[in-house]
Amino acid sequence: MRLSEHPILNFEKVRGKEVTIYFEGTPIKAYEGETIAMALHAAGIRTFQYSTKKHRPRGLFCAIGKCSSCLMKVNGIPNVRTCITLVEDGMQIEMQEEKPLLPKTKKPPKWKEPPRIEADVIVIGGGPAGMMAAIHARDAGAKVVLLDENPMLGGQLVKQTHKFFGKREQFAGVRGIKIADILEEELRKRNIELFLETSAIMLLQEGEEKLVVGVRKNKELIEFKGKAVVVATGAMERMIPFENNDLPGVYGAGAIQTLMNTYGVKPGDKVLIVGAGNVGLILAYQLYQAGVKVEAIVEAMPKVGGYFVHAAKIRRLGIPILTRHTILRAEGKEKVERAIVAQLDENWKVISGTERVFEVDVIALAVGLRPSIELLHQVGCQIKYVPELGGHVVIRDSRMETTIRGIFVAGDSAGIEEATTAMLEGKIAGIGAALGAGVASPEWLKEIEKAQKELEEFRSGPFGSKVLEGLKKVVVE
Amino acid sequence: MSEIPHYLKEGFLSVEELKEYVGLPSEERLRQRPVAVPECPQEIPCTPCAEICPTNAVLMEHPNAVPVVDYEKCIGCSLCVQICPGLAFFMVHYIGEKAKVTMPHEVLPVPQVGEEVVLLNRIGEEVGKGKVVTVIPREKSKGDTPIITVEVPLELAWDVRAVKVVRE
């Protein structure tokens, strides 16, 4: 089902020309500019594939190209990530069989020397960190190229309908979606070469330079060569163990935001949210705004983890927050039909007899994120496990340069924080990369220092203390 | 574990907590003109309310400080209610046996002036009915958030923090 009315968003504006795609031969209405997975959801289709061994149904989970639960056969090609692949008129979409084979009738793309794009600074990721890095590297005098595997710029900003915190000069009071527009406009003003729907699949050292291997639209190989690289690849949603957590209808919180806020598709009718951090709290408010019933938020901790003001916003709309509660299992045949929740004691053990049943068709997991560091790992940057930053992160200095000279990191891929800190880190990394590439004048050091001060200030409250503990373990001089 | 404040366990402030953390304006001040009350007891990195206030009535020692309103300086302009990213500012004004409560309203439908709405307290319970007396639409609001003022019975002035529009 599609949303029409919304207090913040106008979907009529975003939806492109109507096209028809075919799911298992059945025609489905879709709109240009939306991804296959979104169109299937709008048509009520939740099961995208079956697991290879036990034939269990699988559906969408992350919706941003980071997991593999949405892989389907598209025009005969198996293992297409339907969550980031745009619909095209006449597309044939099929659920995958046990072991998908490449079609015998199709020829692989002809091998030819890939085009090589050269720049001073290559930015991987078009979210808040990547866009800020590109803008500032460009301003500092670098030739910049930016690639992102998604069809649109903005990263996770494109689904953040809430207003940001911080100072007004750091976009406080402005909605995330608006910040995405502002940054994109700045980026385009500067003639930064953009490659969307382009996945960076490899990062290599080539002599003194860096080589990024990209694949555009799943078929075209492109090489990017530069003096410095900023990796701003974001993060991926965490999963927690409970019975039937693989049923279609169990989503990462971000996937639900993508469905309803980016594409205007109603994720379901009744939702249970797991996790009362900022993401879970904001998600509940956004679901209410989209007209979806939130039955409850369950939180294993004895208190709300996110900002209190986000909690107050949903409580006064009648959404309960059950602290010291956890999800025991999901139930349902082909998709989620209900969730079983129970109370925890002080030792995190389930108190028997406290089980409660919530009749829901969606379970949203807002249980944290982990940094996406695959490219940094592969190129050989030094890595450390830092739970305060969300998982494995790279060692770097105060200018966001990793242990490999010329490779910088910013945003959630450097440690889980907020969009505001991601933007400041992006600014630092972008200028650092331009300096590293030898194209920026030393004056730019002042701008780095300014951003460092702002970061310090933003992290100086109680909410920043955990991050600061984590940073002590990975920032070296 | 006993140190966890009630408002973080439950996700809402009780009026007693509000008095303790924020401090309420005097009855006399409440009768003079509308006054802004921040329901923001936690240290978070956020300053738009203090930055936008035309009379410097919102005090904040550092960017993570809890906002404190100097009720005498506050002119009741509602800019803080409009800009607050956490939708945590409200205005209260006593008039006779009624109180006017000003609040953000970011859900559909947005009520019209003169419309009767269902009043909700801090946990979403229906506590009565009230009349909408002012609406600042989203386009005219400084913070892209519609602001409404509702007339409520005086005794509900410190309970009503949201409304529900019910139309047949």
Side-chain angles (χ1 to χ4, degrees):
Chain A
M1 214 181 112
R2 289 177 194 274
L3 298 166
S4 51
E5 273 200 320
H6 194 279
I8 309 296
L9 302 162
N10 181 353
F11 300 113
E12 300 309 317
K13 267 190 183 167
V14 244
R15 284 179 191 138
K17 209 179 86 192
E18 199 182 305
V19 294
T20 305
I21 61 170
Y22 296 85
F23 171 71
E24 303 278 318
T26 310
I28 284 170
K29 194 169 86 173
Y31 294 95
E32 274 182 355
E34 69 186 9
T35 64
I36 297 166
M38 298 302 119
L40 294 180
H41 264 81
I45 296 155
R46 293 270 188 93
T47 304
F48 287 10
Q49 52 166 298
Y50 286 90
S51 69
T52 44
K53 279 193 184 146
K54 300 213 164 171
H55 202 68
R56 289 173 66 88
R58 292 277 188 270
L60 189 71
F61 179 71
C62 84
I64 52 167
K66 303 248 182 185
C67 73
S68 56
S69 69
C70 72
L71 300 184
M72 297 180 87
K73 201 191 253 188
V74 177
N75 291 338
I77 310 289
N79 293 336
V80 173
R81 292 192 288 179
T82 55
C83 74
I84 57 167
T85 305
L86 295 175
V87 295
E88 282 169 22
D89 198 34
M91 245 178 189
Q92 299 286 338
I93 321 292
E94 293 163 84
M95 282 201 256
Q96 293 199 165
E97 300 136 15
E98 300 268 302
K99 274 181 189 163
L101 298 170
L102 281 165
K104 289 200 174 81
T105 51
K106 288 238 177 186
K107 287 201 174 104
K110 260 194 192 146
W111 171 254
K112 56 174 193 231
E113 206 53 42
R116 181 171 274 210
I117 312 293
E118 296 199 19
D120 297 316
V121 175
I122 299 161
V123 179
I124 306 172
M131 287 202 283
M132 283 290 273
I135 290 165
H136 286 88
R138 178 76 200 93
D139 286 353
K143 180 177 188 274
V144 180
V145 55
L146 182 144
L147 56 149
D148 191 298
E149 62 186 351
N150 283 282
M152 60 177 83
L153 282 170
Q156 307 317 301
L157 289 174
V158 299
K159 55 202 188 191
Q160 306 309 337
T161 51
H162 65 287
K163 301 194 276 190
F164 275 44
F165 293 74
K167 285 182 169 180
R168 290 189 78 197
E169 62 170 355
Q170 299 157 351
F171 300 112
V174 181
R175 298 186 191 284
I177 42 171
K178 177 79 185 152
I179 300 172
D181 287 344
I182 294 169
L183 292 181
E184 176 165 357
E185 207 189 306
E186 290 295 320
L187 204 67
R188 294 195 186 268
K189 251 195 242 168
R190 286 166 174 77
N191 294 320
I192 291 163
E193 210 176 344
L194 289 176
F195 289 82
L196 294 177
E197 289 185 81
T198 307
S199 305
I201 58 163
M202 226 191 278
L203 172 55
L204 304 161
Q205 184 81 24
E206 200 182 64
E208 289 297 296
E209 306 223 306
K210 319 289 164 209
L211 189 70
V212 177
V213 181
V215 175
R216 181 152 66 180
K217 294 193 172 183
N218 254 344
K219 46 191 167 215
E220 189 194 346
L221 200 64
I222 308 172
E223 288 181 0
F224 300 89
K225 198 176 174 186
K227 298 187 184 87
V229 172
V230 178
V231 177
T233 43
M236 143 153 212
E237 208 98 43
R238 279 181 190 279
M239 166 59 88
I240 47 166
F242 58 90
E243 204 179 322
N244 293 328
N245 65 0
D246 59 339
L247 266 184
V250 177
Y251 301 103
I256 295 171
Q257 293 184 312
T258 300
L259 276 162
M260 68 181 174
N261 294 348
T262 308
Y263 296 99
V265 175
K266 202 174 165 185
D269 293 320
K270 288 179 178 179
V271 182
L272 178 86
I273 298 176
V274 182
N278 275 333
V279 175
L281 298 170
I282 290 168
L283 179 72
Y285 187 68
Q286 293 176 345
L287 281 160
Y288 189 98
Q289 287 180 311
V292 181
K293 180 103 169 56
V294 181
E295 292 293 325
I297 300 184
V298 296
E299 167 60 59
M301 300 272 288
K303 62 172 187 157
V304 165
Y307 292 166
F308 162 73
V309 291
H310 283 313
K313 253 163 54 177
I314 58 164
R315 290 291 272 136
R316 62 184 184 248
L317 296 173
I319 300 170
I321 300 173
L322 307 174
T323 50
R324 275 209 193 287
H325 277 72
T326 191
I327 181 164
L328 293 183
R329 65 180 179 277
E331 287 182 353
K333 274 192 176 157
E334 276 288 301
K335 57 184 186 189
V336 171
E337 288 166 35
R338 71 197 72 84
I340 318 298
V341 161
Q343 206 182 328
L344 295 173
D345 66 17
E346 292 194 355
N347 301 312
W348 306 84
K349 293 268 183 297
V350 170
I351 303 174
S352 66
T354 61
E355 288 84 0
R356 279 169 74 175
V357 180
F358 286 96
E359 300 289 335
V360 292
D361 58 348
V362 172
I363 295 168
L365 299 184
V367 292
L369 301 163
R370 68 154 183 85
S372 292
I373 58 154
E374 293 79 2
L375 289 169
L376 296 156
H377 192 184
Q378 175 240 326
V379 72
C381 296
Q382 268 185 49
I383 289 164
K384 201 166 177 180
Y385 181 72
V386 184
E388 295 91 338
L389 298 177
H392 287 90
V393 289
V394 288
I395 309 271
R396 72 281 192 147
D397 65 14
S398 60
R399 285 189 217 165
M400 308 307 292
E401 192 166 14
T402 68
T403 49
I404 298 181
R405 213 179 160 77
I407 296 181
F408 294 76
V409 68
D412 273 353
S413 53
I416 307 304
E417 274 187 90
E418 307 215 12
T420 308
T421 49
M423 286 188 275
L424 289 168
E425 286 184 346
K427 180 178 171 181
I428 295 170
I431 298 171
L435 284 164
V439 291
S441 70
E443 322 262 277
W444 282 93
L445 282 171
K446 278 188 213 139
E447 284 298 311
I448 289 187
E449 280 164 23
K450 201 178 141 215
Q452 285 168 338
K453 277 212 183 84
E454 286 178 57
L455 267 182
E456 205 177 297
E457 198 175 81
F458 196 91
R459 290 167 177 155
S460 64
F463 274 91
S465 60
K466 197 175 90 174
V467 167
L468 289 176
E469 279 308 304
L471 289 175
K472 275 187 206 160
K473 302 178 187 172
V474 284
V475 178
V476 293
E477 269 321 311
Chain B
M1 284 294 170
S2 57
E3 311 87 47
I4 299 172
H6 158 271
Y7 72 88
L8 278 185
K9 275 189 208 159
E10 299 293 337
F12 72 95
L13 280 165
S14 64
V15 180
E16 290 68 40
E17 279 177 303
L18 193 62
K19 279 182 195 157
E20 188 191 326
Y21 288 105
V22 183
L24 303 188
S26 65
E27 163 115 20
E28 193 192 354
R29 174 62 188 85
L30 284 159
R31 291 206 171 268
Q32 277 169 1
R33 57 181 185 276
V35 59
V37 182
E39 301 205 359
C40 184
Q42 195 181 31
E43 292 194 355
I44 56 175
C46 190
T47 58
C49 57
E51 289 180 81
I52 206 165
C53 180
T55 60
N56 294 318
V58 184
L59 312 171
M60 211 178 263
E61 280 171 32
H62 53 86
N64 277 281
V66 170
V68 176
V69 174
D70 180 335
Y71 297 127
E72 296 311 313
K73 276 192 189 172
C74 171
I75 53 168
C77 69
S78 90
L79 285 176
C80 52
V81 188
Q82 297 174 36
I83 195 83
C84 174
L87 311 188
F89 262 85
F90 299 87
M91 287 198 316
V92 183
H93 186 193
Y94 289 179
I95 300 168
E97 287 306 298
K98 299 272 185 186
K100 285 182 182 175
V101 181
T102 303
M103 62 185 80
H105 184 87
E106 272 189 348
V107 293
L108 289 179
V110 177
Q112 289 172 349
V113 172
E115 193 168 352
E116 190 175 72
V117 291
V118 175
L119 305 172
L120 304 176
N121 66 9
R122 289 187 184 80
I123 51 170
E125 291 167 344
E126 300 184 5
V127 290
K129 284 187 174 171
K131 199 174 77 178
V132 174
V133 291
T134 318
V135 175
I136 299 177
R138 188 178 165 198
E139 314 77 67
K140 293 198 176 156
S141 162
K142 275 284 176 202
D144 197 26
T145 293
I147 302 297
I148 63 168
T149 301
V150 196
E151 196 175 73
V152 308
L154 193 66
E155 65 273 18
L156 292 179
W158 296 97
D159 288 326
V160 174
R161 288 299 175 267
V163 304
K164 195 161 77 180
V165 180
V166 183
R167 288 176 187 160
E168 288 312 310

